Amino acid sequence: MNNDDFRQWSHRAAEWGADYRNNLRERPVRPRVEPGDIFRSIEASPPEDPEPMDRIFADFEAKIVPGMTHWQHPRFFAYFPANAAPVSVVAEYLVSAMAAQCMLWQTSPAATELETRTVDWMRQALGLPEGFSGVIQDSASSATLNAVLTMRERGLDWQGNKKGLAGQERLRVYCSDQVHTSIDRAIWVSGIGEDNLVRIPVAGRFRAMDTAALEAAIIADRKAGMLPAGIVASVGGTSTGGTDDIAAVATVAGRHGLYLHVDAAWAGSAMICPEFRHFWAGAELADSIVFNPHKWLGAQFDCSIQFIRQPEDLVRTLAIKPEFLKTHGRDGIINYSEWSVPLGRRFRALKLWFLLRAHGLENLRAMIRNHVAWSEGLAARLAGEPDFEIVTEPMLSLFSFRHAAPTGAEPDSHNLRLVNAINDDGRIYLTQTSVNGRVAIRFQVGQFEATAADVDSAFAVITEIARSLT
């Protein structure tokens, strides 16, 4: 592809993207395909000779797009959002065109310094105090792994990386059952082991960790000769929005000298609105916090910010400095590859800079406030309908509900049948979860371009299909 071809096809791709976003409401949210359909449509062997771009692009439109779930669809109410505001997409075009490797300051000074500045913009926007530094990771999973590795190293007096875990005291990490599965994976990858992730009981509307039980577990483990290392607290857990009392957990962590990591991957975005900050009161006491601008704020995936109170501990845990990675003659610079497990780094800060400048915090706050209000309104409407039950009340824009099964039908099977029928219909997309061992249906509003009318349509679809199954 020469430069003229590159220009032509870049224009074509951008035009396709704009048309795609403009016409999303006309598409089903989830594709109507069966497993293997797309695989069988792709040639079994790679081409020996080059093919024309016209043919490749036509196959993209004919074979790939019909098999995609449309995460930018305004009626995507499943999982959590993976927003990509159009201005963020434009920034990613530029990042892709430059294709810079941003692992060190010297390999892209602007990328490093913009990251430092935009992360601090976000610190201010979320109301966090000065003293927190930060880094843009690929996802909350990576940020949580970094936190768990740092817990491990601090607990072992920085000997884990050097000596390994064999022969060391048995480490313990504490969380509730509301945390994301990325915590389990971090425990696996760090070598701490699943048996040493202690699940603390939860209570109350927001399914918060019982801090008395937390402290009792820490004391009991110490008496048993084990080594408590850290706590992972949740704000807006994935299943139903489980949210810990961060201030109370931080008090326990401080009393016992444990590292505290706060996972606010989804809900953290809402903290740009001062009226929602009570949900993470005490977060300023944490050792690290993660939130994902690529979820609710509109920054295209991947863009996850990890705030850190003592970055020197993270760097001590992760940094390796062979001669070829040193920046000679420069002191006091940041090399963000020392703040994460991968050496290679994309230029993630550019899309966040574009996004914040193009929309401004006040417009982003208005979007989040709308989503919360619309979700609360839908929960109230469903609660007023015959045979519907709100299982977990709204936490920000997330709640769960259940529909009463007809006589003779098993309730869990009925609700799974309902959510599958809704998704097969294609007008909206929901997911199920488990609450106290029973199936519930999750609903969250978060797509960047969703409207009140889209949420109204969700009410119509849910009630219509529920009636058809009874």
Side-chain angles (χ1 to χ4, degrees):
M1 179 177 284
N2 61 33
N3 200 55
D4 288 340
D5 292 335
F6 176 55
R7 185 183 304 277
Q8 174 192 342
W9 286 103
S10 294
H11 281 300
R12 174 77 179 274
E15 289 166 0
W16 183 91
D19 290 341
Y20 169 77
R21 298 293 286 262
N22 192 51
N23 299 319
L24 264 177
R25 279 188 176 85
E26 300 170 12
R27 299 177 184 267
V29 188
R30 205 176 69 168
R32 298 187 178 105
V33 296
E34 296 297 325
D37 284 353
I38 286 82
F39 178 81
R40 287 187 292 272
S41 76
I42 307 300
E43 290 74 7
S45 300
E48 294 290 342
D49 298 311
E51 298 182 59
M53 274 295 294
D54 281 324
R55 186 188 304 166
I56 298 169
F57 205 95
D59 279 351
F60 161 73
E61 293 182 300
K63 298 180 179 182
I64 305 304
V65 177
M68 294 299 293
T69 296
H70 302 295
W71 284 71
Q72 306 312 310
H73 200 296
R75 294 192 295 275
F76 184 102
F77 301 120
Y79 305 104
F80 282 135
N83 281 323
V87 68
S88 175
V89 176
V90 171
E92 282 288 81
Y93 289 161
L94 305 179
V95 168
S96 295
M98 289 186 288
Q101 173 55 267
C102 304
M103 58 188 177
L104 308 172
W105 177 86
Q106 68 174 341
T107 62
S108 281
T112 296
E113 296 185 19
L114 185 64
E115 182 163 346
T116 303
R117 181 62 77 193
T118 54
V119 167
D120 193 64
W121 279 9
M122 287 311 318
R123 177 195 63 77
Q124 296 174 55
L126 299 177
L128 292 172
E130 290 186 9
F132 274 101
S133 300
V135 55
I136 305 179
Q137 308 285 8
D138 55 359
S139 66
S141 296
S142 291
T144 298
L145 175 59
N146 292 344
V148 169
L149 290 170
T150 307
M151 288 177 195
R152 185 193 75 185
E153 288 305 294
R154 274 191 13 178
L156 295 174
D157 195 25
W158 311 102
Q159 294 302 301
N161 283 339
K162 183 177 178 63
K163 296 181 179 179
L165 301 189
Q168 305 272 19
E169 292 179 89
R170 185 174 171 183
L171 293 163
R172 304 285 267 183
V173 174
Y174 307 85
C175 67
S176 77
D177 64 357
Q178 298 300 298
V179 297
H180 192 267
T181 53
S182 60
I183 284 78
D184 299 71
R185 287 186 175 178
I187 294 296
W188 299 348
V189 174
S190 67
I192 292 172
E194 186 176 338
D195 288 347
N196 296 307
L197 181 61
V198 183
R199 304 284 188 178
I200 305 301
V202 300
R205 172 183 168 183
F206 294 111
R207 308 175 77 78
M209 222 185 313
D210 181 333
T211 51
L214 170 64
E215 188 152 32
I218 293 167
I219 292 169
D221 283 346
R222 278 224 167 93
K223 285 182 178 177
M226 290 181 275
L227 182 59
I231 304 167
V232 180
S234 175
V235 178
T238 302
S239 178
T240 62
T243 297
D244 294 318
D245 182 339
I246 303 301
V249 173
T251 298
V252 174
R255 191 153 49 231
H256 294 277
L258 303 192
Y259 186 108
L260 174 59
H261 175 64
V262 174
D263 181 357
W266 163 66
S269 293
M271 303 310 151
I272 65 172
C273 303
E275 68 269 28
F276 297 137
R277 289 178 190 161
H278 63 91
F279 284 118
W280 77 354
E284 69 278 1
L285 303 173
D287 293 285
S288 60
I289 303 166
V290 63
F291 98 103
N292 292 345
H294 68 231
K295 280 192 166 76
W296 209 351
L297 279 190
Q300 185 168 1
F301 186 85
D302 52 11
C303 185
S304 179
I305 295 181
Q306 181 181 7
F307 293 106
I308 307 140
R309 199 146 47 115
Q310 293 181 269
E312 61 271 19
D313 286 354
L314 180 63
V315 171
R316 187 174 180 181
T317 299
L318 298 178
I320 298 176
K321 295 183 178 180
E323 185 63 32
F324 66 85
L325 291 180
K326 293 178 181 176
T327 303
H328 290 283
R330 302 282 185 175
D331 295 324
I333 63 170
I334 295 174
N335 291 322
Y336 280 119
S337 61
E338 298 173 355
W339 296 45
S340 57
V341 173
L343 172 62
R345 304 190 83 249
R346 299 179 65 249
F347 188 1
R348 300 187 182 101
L350 191 69
K351 59 195 166 196
L352 189 56
W353 188 54
F354 271 49
L355 174 76
L356 292 172
R357 295 183 66 190
H359 287 275
L361 288 174
E362 197 50 44
N363 282 329
L364 296 173
R365 290 185 188 111
M367 175 191 70
I368 287 173
R369 287 167 177 150
N370 281 338
H371 292 171
V372 172
W374 297 338
S375 185
E376 290 173 344
L378 179 62
R381 291 179 72 185
L382 285 176
E385 286 289 304
D387 299 327
F388 279 93
E389 168 197 2
I390 300 303
V391 178
T392 56
E393 295 290 331
M395 161 58 185
L396 297 171
S397 67
L398 168 66
F399 69 92
S400 67
F401 66 92
R402 188 180 292 127
H403 185 252
T407 303
E410 199 280 320
D412 283 355
S413 297
H414 171 71
N415 279 278
L416 287 174
R417 185 180 171 211
L418 173 57
V419 74
N420 288 332
I422 288 168
N423 292 337
D424 289 343
D425 173 83
R427 286 174 287 173
I428 67 172
Y429 187 21
L430 305 179
T431 47
Q432 72 283 344
T433 189
S434 177
V435 181
N436 298 329
R438 296 180 60 196
V439 170
I441 300 174
R442 289 174 76 258
F443 183 94
Q444 66 79 33
V445 186
Q447 201 283 326
F448 201 78
E449 292 164 338
T451 65
D454 291 314
V455 180
D456 287 342
S457 72
F459 175 80
V461 171
I462 292 166
T463 53
E464 171 194 324
I465 294 179
R467 282 194 299 269
S468 75
L469 298 181
T470 57

PDB file of all heavy atoms in Angstrom, residues 169-174 195-200 213-229 258:
ATOM      1  N   GLU A 169       6.742 -16.865  54.592  1.00  0.00           N
ATOM      2  CA  GLU A 169       5.493 -16.952  55.322  1.00  0.00           C
ATOM      3  C   GLU A 169       4.326 -16.976  54.334  1.00  0.00           C
ATOM      4  O   GLU A 169       4.392 -16.424  53.237  1.00  0.00           O
ATOM      5  CB  GLU A 169       5.340 -15.752  56.260  1.00  0.00           C
ATOM      6  CG  GLU A 169       6.315 -15.731  57.419  1.00  0.00           C
ATOM      7  CD  GLU A 169       6.104 -14.506  58.286  1.00  0.00           C
ATOM      8  OE1 GLU A 169       5.286 -14.571  59.223  1.00  0.00           O
ATOM      9  OE2 GLU A 169       6.760 -13.478  58.002  1.00  0.00           O
ATOM     10  N   ARG A 170       3.246 -17.611  54.752  1.00  0.00           N
ATOM     11  CA  ARG A 170       2.072 -17.757  53.892  1.00  0.00           C
ATOM     12  C   ARG A 170       1.289 -16.443  53.874  1.00  0.00           C
ATOM     13  O   ARG A 170       0.762 -16.005  54.889  1.00  0.00           O
ATOM     14  CB  ARG A 170       1.197 -18.888  54.412  1.00  0.00           C
ATOM     15  CG  ARG A 170       0.016 -19.224  53.532  1.00  0.00           C
ATOM     16  CD  ARG A 170      -0.697 -20.453  54.080  1.00  0.00           C
ATOM     17  NE  ARG A 170      -1.954 -20.709  53.399  1.00  0.00           N
ATOM     18  CZ  ARG A 170      -2.793 -21.684  53.730  1.00  0.00           C
ATOM     19  NH1 ARG A 170      -2.484 -22.493  54.743  1.00  0.00           N
ATOM     20  NH2 ARG A 170      -3.916 -21.854  53.075  1.00  0.00           N
ATOM     21  N   LEU A 171       1.224 -15.827  52.697  1.00  0.00           N
ATOM     22  CA  LEU A 171       0.565 -14.528  52.547  1.00  0.00           C
ATOM     23  C   LEU A 171      -0.956 -14.671  52.499  1.00  0.00           C
ATOM     24  O   LEU A 171      -1.486 -15.685  52.014  1.00  0.00           O
ATOM     25  CB  LEU A 171       1.047 -13.849  51.263  1.00  0.00           C
ATOM     26  CG  LEU A 171       2.510 -13.415  51.234  1.00  0.00           C
ATOM     27  CD1 LEU A 171       2.944 -13.153  49.807  1.00  0.00           C
ATOM     28  CD2 LEU A 171       2.711 -12.176  52.082  1.00  0.00           C
ATOM     29  N   ARG A 172      -1.652 -13.648  52.969  1.00  0.00           N
ATOM     30  CA  ARG A 172      -3.115 -13.618  52.929  1.00  0.00           C
ATOM     31  C   ARG A 172      -3.583 -12.268  52.384  1.00  0.00           C
ATOM     32  O   ARG A 172      -3.039 -11.211  52.744  1.00  0.00           O
ATOM     33  CB  ARG A 172      -3.704 -13.826  54.325  1.00  0.00           C
ATOM     34  CG  ARG A 172      -3.248 -15.105  54.994  1.00  0.00           C
ATOM     35  CD  ARG A 172      -3.934 -16.317  54.417  1.00  0.00           C
ATOM     36  NE  ARG A 172      -5.133 -16.668  55.172  1.00  0.00           N
ATOM     37  CZ  ARG A 172      -5.887 -17.717  54.913  1.00  0.00           C
ATOM     38  NH1 ARG A 172      -5.594 -18.517  53.893  1.00  0.00           N
ATOM     39  NH2 ARG A 172      -6.958 -17.979  55.649  1.00  0.00           N
ATOM     40  N   VAL A 173      -4.595 -12.318  51.518  1.00  0.00           N
ATOM     41  CA  VAL A 173      -5.220 -11.117  50.966  1.00  0.00           C
ATOM     42  C   VAL A 173      -6.722 -11.243  51.211  1.00  0.00           C
ATOM     43  O   VAL A 173      -7.284 -12.344  51.127  1.00  0.00           O
ATOM     44  CB  VAL A 173      -4.910 -10.962  49.459  1.00  0.00           C
ATOM     45  CG1 VAL A 173      -5.673  -9.790  48.859  1.00  0.00           C
ATOM     46  CG2 VAL A 173      -3.409 -10.785  49.247  1.00  0.00           C
ATOM     47  N   TYR A 174      -7.385 -10.100  51.470  1.00  0.00           N
ATOM     48  CA  TYR A 174      -8.775 -10.102  51.916  1.00  0.00           C
ATOM     49  C   TYR A 174      -9.656  -9.294  50.954  1.00  0.00           C
ATOM     50  O   TYR A 174      -9.253  -8.229  50.470  1.00  0.00           O
ATOM     51  CB  TYR A 174      -8.873  -9.516  53.331  1.00  0.00           C
ATOM     52  CG  TYR A 174      -7.944 -10.209  54.302  1.00  0.00           C
ATOM     53  CD1 TYR A 174      -6.614  -9.797  54.413  1.00  0.00           C
ATOM     54  CD2 TYR A 174      -8.373 -11.283  55.071  1.00  0.00           C
ATOM     55  CE1 TYR A 174      -5.737 -10.451  55.274  1.00  0.00           C
ATOM     56  CE2 TYR A 174      -7.503 -11.936  55.937  1.00  0.00           C
ATOM     57  CZ  TYR A 174      -6.189 -11.525  56.026  1.00  0.00           C
ATOM     58  OH  TYR A 174      -5.314 -12.172  56.872  1.00  0.00           O
ATOM     59  N   ASP A 195      -6.261 -20.283  47.653  1.00  0.00           N
ATOM     60  CA  ASP A 195      -6.618 -20.634  49.024  1.00  0.00           C
ATOM     61  C   ASP A 195      -6.278 -19.534  50.014  1.00  0.00           C
ATOM     62  O   ASP A 195      -6.749 -19.567  51.164  1.00  0.00           O
ATOM     63  CB  ASP A 195      -5.920 -21.922  49.448  1.00  0.00           C
ATOM     64  CG  ASP A 195      -6.493 -23.155  48.763  1.00  0.00           C
ATOM     65  OD1 ASP A 195      -7.580 -23.034  48.150  1.00  0.00           O
ATOM     66  OD2 ASP A 195      -5.865 -24.229  48.840  1.00  0.00           O
ATOM     67  N   ASN A 196      -5.482 -18.572  49.606  1.00  0.00           N
ATOM     68  CA  ASN A 196      -5.076 -17.483  50.488  1.00  0.00           C
ATOM     69  C   ASN A 196      -5.801 -16.172  50.197  1.00  0.00           C
ATOM     70  O   ASN A 196      -5.425 -15.126  50.733  1.00  0.00           O
ATOM     71  CB  ASN A 196      -3.564 -17.278  50.409  1.00  0.00           C
ATOM     72  CG  ASN A 196      -2.824 -18.494  50.921  1.00  0.00           C
ATOM     73  OD1 ASN A 196      -3.085 -18.957  52.028  1.00  0.00           O
ATOM     74  ND2 ASN A 196      -1.925 -19.034  50.109  1.00  0.00           N
ATOM     75  N   LEU A 197      -6.819 -16.241  49.344  1.00  0.00           N
ATOM     76  CA  LEU A 197      -7.712 -15.091  49.139  1.00  0.00           C
ATOM     77  C   LEU A 197      -8.906 -15.299  50.063  1.00  0.00           C
ATOM     78  O   LEU A 197      -9.740 -16.174  49.831  1.00  0.00           O
ATOM     79  CB  LEU A 197      -8.153 -15.004  47.678  1.00  0.00           C
ATOM     80  CG  LEU A 197      -9.062 -13.825  47.325  1.00  0.00           C
ATOM     81  CD1 LEU A 197      -8.385 -12.491  47.592  1.00  0.00           C
ATOM     82  CD2 LEU A 197      -9.524 -13.909  45.869  1.00  0.00           C
ATOM     83  N   VAL A 198      -8.982 -14.509  51.109  1.00  0.00           N
ATOM     84  CA  VAL A 198      -9.975 -14.710  52.160  1.00  0.00           C
ATOM     85  C   VAL A 198     -11.212 -13.882  51.841  1.00  0.00           C
ATOM     86  O   VAL A 198     -11.140 -12.646  51.746  1.00  0.00           O
ATOM     87  CB  VAL A 198      -9.396 -14.302  53.532  1.00  0.00           C
ATOM     88  CG1 VAL A 198     -10.413 -14.573  54.644  1.00  0.00           C
ATOM     89  CG2 VAL A 198      -8.094 -15.049  53.800  1.00  0.00           C
ATOM     90  N   ARG A 199     -12.354 -14.550  51.685  1.00  0.00           N
ATOM     91  CA  ARG A 199     -13.612 -13.875  51.362  1.00  0.00           C
ATOM     92  C   ARG A 199     -14.313 -13.468  52.658  1.00  0.00           C
ATOM     93  O   ARG A 199     -14.638 -14.325  53.491  1.00  0.00           O
ATOM     94  CB  ARG A 199     -14.526 -14.804  50.570  1.00  0.00           C
ATOM     95  CG  ARG A 199     -13.900 -15.343  49.298  1.00  0.00           C
ATOM     96  CD  ARG A 199     -13.863 -14.324  48.187  1.00  0.00           C
ATOM     97  NE  ARG A 199     -13.425 -14.926  46.935  1.00  0.00           N
ATOM     98  CZ  ARG A 199     -13.331 -14.287  45.781  1.00  0.00           C
ATOM     99  NH1 ARG A 199     -13.646 -13.008  45.715  1.00  0.00           N
ATOM    100  NH2 ARG A 199     -12.913 -14.910  44.690  1.00  0.00           N
ATOM    101  N   ILE A 200     -14.544 -12.192  52.806  1.00  0.00           N
ATOM    102  CA  ILE A 200     -15.190 -11.645  53.992  1.00  0.00           C
ATOM    103  C   ILE A 200     -16.695 -11.526  53.745  1.00  0.00           C
ATOM    104  O   ILE A 200     -17.110 -11.065  52.674  1.00  0.00           O
ATOM    105  CB  ILE A 200     -14.580 -10.273  54.347  1.00  0.00           C
ATOM    106  CG1 ILE A 200     -13.063 -10.381  54.512  1.00  0.00           C
ATOM    107  CG2 ILE A 200     -15.228  -9.698  55.599  1.00  0.00           C
ATOM    108  CD1 ILE A 200     -12.606 -11.342  55.585  1.00  0.00           C
ATOM    109  N   ALA A 213     -15.735  -8.577  60.777  1.00  0.00           N
ATOM    110  CA  ALA A 213     -15.297  -9.896  60.324  1.00  0.00           C
ATOM    111  C   ALA A 213     -13.937  -9.813  59.637  1.00  0.00           C
ATOM    112  O   ALA A 213     -13.102 -10.726  59.760  1.00  0.00           O
ATOM    113  CB  ALA A 213     -16.341 -10.486  59.373  1.00  0.00           C
ATOM    114  N   LEU A 214     -13.714  -8.727  58.906  1.00  0.00           N
ATOM    115  CA  LEU A 214     -12.410  -8.514  58.264  1.00  0.00           C
ATOM    116  C   LEU A 214     -11.302  -8.472  59.311  1.00  0.00           C
ATOM    117  O   LEU A 214     -10.284  -9.169  59.186  1.00  0.00           O
ATOM    118  CB  LEU A 214     -12.441  -7.208  57.464  1.00  0.00           C
ATOM    119  CG  LEU A 214     -11.120  -6.691  56.927  1.00  0.00           C
ATOM    120  CD1 LEU A 214     -10.528  -7.654  55.904  1.00  0.00           C
ATOM    121  CD2 LEU A 214     -11.282  -5.291  56.314  1.00  0.00           C
ATOM    122  N   GLU A 215     -11.496  -7.659  60.336  1.00  0.00           N
ATOM    123  CA  GLU A 215     -10.453  -7.538  61.353  1.00  0.00           C
ATOM    124  C   GLU A 215     -10.249  -8.851  62.099  1.00  0.00           C
ATOM    125  O   GLU A 215      -9.105  -9.244  62.391  1.00  0.00           O
ATOM    126  CB  GLU A 215     -10.800  -6.415  62.331  1.00  0.00           C
ATOM    127  CG  GLU A 215      -9.682  -6.102  63.305  1.00  0.00           C
ATOM    128  CD  GLU A 215      -9.703  -4.663  63.787  1.00  0.00           C
ATOM    129  OE1 GLU A 215     -10.808  -4.098  63.889  1.00  0.00           O
ATOM    130  OE2 GLU A 215      -8.619  -4.111  64.039  1.00  0.00           O
ATOM    131  N   ALA A 216     -11.330  -9.551  62.382  1.00  0.00           N
ATOM    132  CA  ALA A 216     -11.215 -10.835  63.069  1.00  0.00           C
ATOM    133  C   ALA A 216     -10.411 -11.834  62.230  1.00  0.00           C
ATOM    134  O   ALA A 216      -9.588 -12.594  62.765  1.00  0.00           O
ATOM    135  CB  ALA A 216     -12.602 -11.395  63.365  1.00  0.00           C
ATOM    136  N   ALA A 217     -10.630 -11.821  60.903  1.00  0.00           N
ATOM    137  CA  ALA A 217      -9.893 -12.733  60.027  1.00  0.00           C
ATOM    138  C   ALA A 217      -8.403 -12.402  60.014  1.00  0.00           C
ATOM    139  O   ALA A 217      -7.549 -13.309  60.028  1.00  0.00           O
ATOM    140  CB  ALA A 217     -10.468 -12.661  58.611  1.00  0.00           C
ATOM    141  N   ILE A 218      -8.074 -11.129  59.986  1.00  0.00           N
ATOM    142  CA  ILE A 218      -6.668 -10.714  59.998  1.00  0.00           C
ATOM    143  C   ILE A 218      -5.989 -11.173  61.290  1.00  0.00           C
ATOM    144  O   ILE A 218      -4.881 -11.741  61.271  1.00  0.00           O
ATOM    145  CB  ILE A 218      -6.567  -9.184  59.832  1.00  0.00           C
ATOM    146  CG1 ILE A 218      -7.049  -8.758  58.442  1.00  0.00           C
ATOM    147  CG2 ILE A 218      -5.135  -8.706  60.071  1.00  0.00           C
ATOM    148  CD1 ILE A 218      -7.286  -7.273  58.297  1.00  0.00           C
ATOM    149  N   ILE A 219      -6.648 -10.935  62.408  1.00  0.00           N
ATOM    150  CA  ILE A 219      -6.070 -11.314  63.717  1.00  0.00           C
ATOM    151  C   ILE A 219      -5.906 -12.826  63.802  1.00  0.00           C
ATOM    152  O   ILE A 219      -4.864 -13.335  64.243  1.00  0.00           O
ATOM    153  CB  ILE A 219      -6.961 -10.775  64.853  1.00  0.00           C
ATOM    154  CG1 ILE A 219      -6.891  -9.247  64.885  1.00  0.00           C
ATOM    155  CG2 ILE A 219      -6.544 -11.360  66.197  1.00  0.00           C
ATOM    156  CD1 ILE A 219      -7.925  -8.593  65.784  1.00  0.00           C
ATOM    157  N   ALA A 220      -6.927 -13.571  63.367  1.00  0.00           N
ATOM    158  CA  ALA A 220      -6.851 -15.030  63.419  1.00  0.00           C
ATOM    159  C   ALA A 220      -5.726 -15.558  62.542  1.00  0.00           C
ATOM    160  O   ALA A 220      -5.003 -16.494  62.925  1.00  0.00           O
ATOM    161  CB  ALA A 220      -8.188 -15.633  62.985  1.00  0.00           C
ATOM    162  N   ASP A 221      -5.552 -14.976  61.351  1.00  0.00           N
ATOM    163  CA  ASP A 221      -4.481 -15.433  60.461  1.00  0.00           C
ATOM    164  C   ASP A 221      -3.112 -15.167  61.067  1.00  0.00           C
ATOM    165  O   ASP A 221      -2.203 -16.004  60.968  1.00  0.00           O
ATOM    166  CB  ASP A 221      -4.607 -14.752  59.096  1.00  0.00           C
ATOM    167  CG  ASP A 221      -5.712 -15.355  58.242  1.00  0.00           C
ATOM    168  OD1 ASP A 221      -6.191 -16.451  58.576  1.00  0.00           O
ATOM    169  OD2 ASP A 221      -6.097 -14.718  57.235  1.00  0.00           O
ATOM    170  N   ARG A 222      -2.958 -14.003  61.689  1.00  0.00           N
ATOM    171  CA  ARG A 222      -1.664 -13.706  62.324  1.00  0.00           C
ATOM    172  C   ARG A 222      -1.368 -14.717  63.432  1.00  0.00           C
ATOM    173  O   ARG A 222      -0.244 -15.203  63.569  1.00  0.00           O
ATOM    174  CB  ARG A 222      -1.679 -12.280  62.885  1.00  0.00           C
ATOM    175  CG  ARG A 222      -1.382 -11.219  61.828  1.00  0.00           C
ATOM    176  CD  ARG A 222      -0.391 -10.162  62.357  1.00  0.00           C
ATOM    177  NE  ARG A 222       0.091  -9.353  61.243  1.00  0.00           N
ATOM    178  CZ  ARG A 222      -0.461  -8.200  60.866  1.00  0.00           C
ATOM    179  NH1 ARG A 222      -1.516  -7.731  61.519  1.00  0.00           N
ATOM    180  NH2 ARG A 222       0.030  -7.535  59.846  1.00  0.00           N
ATOM    181  N   LYS A 223      -2.376 -15.014  64.235  1.00  0.00           N
ATOM    182  CA  LYS A 223      -2.186 -15.974  65.327  1.00  0.00           C
ATOM    183  C   LYS A 223      -1.829 -17.356  64.791  1.00  0.00           C
ATOM    184  O   LYS A 223      -1.137 -18.135  65.451  1.00  0.00           O
ATOM    185  CB  LYS A 223      -3.448 -16.047  66.174  1.00  0.00           C
ATOM    186  CG  LYS A 223      -3.645 -14.843  67.085  1.00  0.00           C
ATOM    187  CD  LYS A 223      -4.895 -14.994  67.935  1.00  0.00           C
ATOM    188  CE  LYS A 223      -5.050 -13.795  68.872  1.00  0.00           C
ATOM    189  NZ  LYS A 223      -6.316 -13.881  69.671  1.00  0.00           N
ATOM    190  N   ALA A 224      -2.335 -17.669  63.581  1.00  0.00           N
ATOM    191  CA  ALA A 224      -2.064 -18.968  62.965  1.00  0.00           C
ATOM    192  C   ALA A 224      -0.721 -19.004  62.240  1.00  0.00           C
ATOM    193  O   ALA A 224      -0.393 -20.007  61.588  1.00  0.00           O
ATOM    194  CB  ALA A 224      -3.187 -19.327  62.001  1.00  0.00           C
ATOM    195  N   GLY A 225       0.047 -17.916  62.321  1.00  0.00           N
ATOM    196  CA  GLY A 225       1.368 -17.886  61.711  1.00  0.00           C
ATOM    197  C   GLY A 225       1.401 -17.470  60.265  1.00  0.00           C
ATOM    198  O   GLY A 225       2.429 -17.605  59.592  1.00  0.00           O
ATOM    199  N   MET A 226       0.283 -16.928  59.781  1.00  0.00           N
ATOM    200  CA  MET A 226       0.242 -16.462  58.394  1.00  0.00           C
ATOM    201  C   MET A 226       0.541 -14.968  58.334  1.00  0.00           C
ATOM    202  O   MET A 226       0.613 -14.290  59.363  1.00  0.00           O
ATOM    203  CB  MET A 226      -1.111 -16.799  57.780  1.00  0.00           C
ATOM    204  CG  MET A 226      -1.283 -18.298  57.571  1.00  0.00           C
ATOM    205  SD  MET A 226      -2.842 -18.800  56.812  1.00  0.00           S
ATOM    206  CE  MET A 226      -3.907 -18.892  58.242  1.00  0.00           C
ATOM    207  N   LEU A 227       0.723 -14.441  57.126  1.00  0.00           N
ATOM    208  CA  LEU A 227       1.172 -13.068  56.933  1.00  0.00           C
ATOM    209  C   LEU A 227       0.135 -12.266  56.143  1.00  0.00           C
ATOM    210  O   LEU A 227       0.143 -12.275  54.909  1.00  0.00           O
ATOM    211  CB  LEU A 227       2.518 -13.045  56.200  1.00  0.00           C
ATOM    212  CG  LEU A 227       3.150 -11.669  55.948  1.00  0.00           C
ATOM    213  CD1 LEU A 227       3.390 -10.915  57.247  1.00  0.00           C
ATOM    214  CD2 LEU A 227       4.456 -11.825  55.172  1.00  0.00           C
ATOM    215  N   PRO A 228      -0.784 -11.556  56.808  1.00  0.00           N
ATOM    216  CA  PRO A 228      -1.704 -10.681  56.082  1.00  0.00           C
ATOM    217  C   PRO A 228      -0.934  -9.615  55.302  1.00  0.00           C
ATOM    218  O   PRO A 228      -0.036  -8.963  55.855  1.00  0.00           O
ATOM    219  CB  PRO A 228      -2.541 -10.062  57.209  1.00  0.00           C
ATOM    220  CG  PRO A 228      -2.475 -11.057  58.325  1.00  0.00           C
ATOM    221  CD  PRO A 228      -1.069 -11.600  58.251  1.00  0.00           C
ATOM    222  N   ALA A 229      -1.281  -9.455  54.012  1.00  0.00           N
ATOM    223  CA  ALA A 229      -0.529  -8.541  53.146  1.00  0.00           C
ATOM    224  C   ALA A 229      -1.360  -7.380  52.626  1.00  0.00           C
ATOM    225  O   ALA A 229      -0.835  -6.275  52.469  1.00  0.00           O
ATOM    226  CB  ALA A 229       0.062  -9.309  51.965  1.00  0.00           C
ATOM    227  N   LEU A 258      -1.706  -2.979  56.503  1.00  0.00           N
ATOM    228  CA  LEU A 258      -1.939  -3.689  55.250  1.00  0.00           C
ATOM    229  C   LEU A 258      -2.127  -2.716  54.094  1.00  0.00           C
ATOM    230  O   LEU A 258      -2.671  -1.623  54.257  1.00  0.00           O
ATOM    231  CB  LEU A 258      -3.187  -4.576  55.350  1.00  0.00           C
ATOM    232  CG  LEU A 258      -3.221  -5.620  56.457  1.00  0.00           C
ATOM    233  CD1 LEU A 258      -4.380  -6.580  56.226  1.00  0.00           C
ATOM    234  CD2 LEU A 258      -1.921  -6.385  56.544  1.00  0.00           C
TER     235      LEU A 258
END
